[in-house]
């Protein structure tokens, strides 16, 4: 028998766009970090906010776009890093981190992890 599904399990976290945030100072997930996803709309250009999330104890959140919701377009994922670091008693060079990316194939799943410290960050395409 398959194991029972619990809240926050990978089954519930699957979607067309997902993220995971890790605190590289502690080597632990970044829990309680707010983030927003927006899509570039034309003409203008103008960003339209699609969703807001907060990371859980594992540094993950519900999918930013559910399966079938993605469209071929340019998106921006904004992580609110300053409030996160302030909550841990740290100052931070970056008040937020914005990762702009393009979805070329809406059928493909896209996982965008973020590694953060108060004075650096790294974003990459994960699996």
């Amino acid at each position: 028998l398959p194991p029972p599904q619990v809240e926050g399990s990978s089954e519930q976290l699957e979607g067309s766009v997902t993220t995971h945030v890790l605190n590289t100072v502690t080597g632990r997930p970044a829990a309680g970090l707010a983030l927003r996803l927006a899509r570039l709309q034309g003409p203008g250009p103008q960003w339209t906010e699609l969703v807001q999330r907060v990371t859980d104890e594992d540094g993950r959140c519900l999918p930013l776009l559910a399966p079938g919701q993605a469209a071929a377009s340019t998106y921006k994922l904004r992580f609110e890093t300053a409030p996160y670091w302030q909550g841990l008693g740290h100052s931070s060079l970056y008040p937020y981190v914005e990762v702009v990316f393009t979805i070329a194939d809406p059928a493909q799943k896209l996982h965008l992890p973020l590694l953060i410290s108060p004075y650096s960050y790294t974003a990459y395409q994960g699996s």
Side-chain angles (χ1 to χ4, degrees):
L1 291 174
Q5 294 302 314
V6 295
E7 188 171 336
S9 72
S10 62
E11 283 282 319
Q12 291 177 335
L13 297 177
E14 287 187 14
S16 15
V17 177
T18 57
T19 191
H20 186 199
V21 186
L22 297 171
N23 176 333
T24 61
V25 173
T26 63
R28 306 286 307 146
L33 191 142
L35 55 106
R36 298 181 289 192
L37 179 69
R39 181 176 173 194
L40 187 62
Q41 305 287 346
Q46 179 177 337
W47 292 101
T48 300
E49 187 170 301
L50 303 175
V51 67
Q52 295 181 11
R53 298 277 189 260
V54 176
T55 58
D56 63 15
E57 292 299 316
D58 194 35
R60 300 177 188 272
C61 58
L62 292 174
L64 301 166
L65 293 177
Q69 264 190 322
S73 188
T74 300
Y75 295 83
K76 175 172 60 177
L77 192 48
R78 179 180 167 128
F79 299 87
E80 301 296 338
T81 52
Y84 170 78
W85 291 115
Q86 288 167 358
L88 296 176
H90 295 285
S91 60
S92 172
L93 179 62
Y94 304 103
Y96 56 87
V97 171
E98 289 186 335
V99 178
V100 178
F101 60 96
T102 301
I103 293 178
D105 179 2
Q108 182 180 10
K109 291 182 182 180
L110 186 59
H111 184 61
L112 299 169
L114 181 70
L115 308 176
I116 59 171
S117 82
Y119 301 101
S120 68
Y121 64 88
T122 301
Y124 61 98
Q125 181 175 352
S127 59

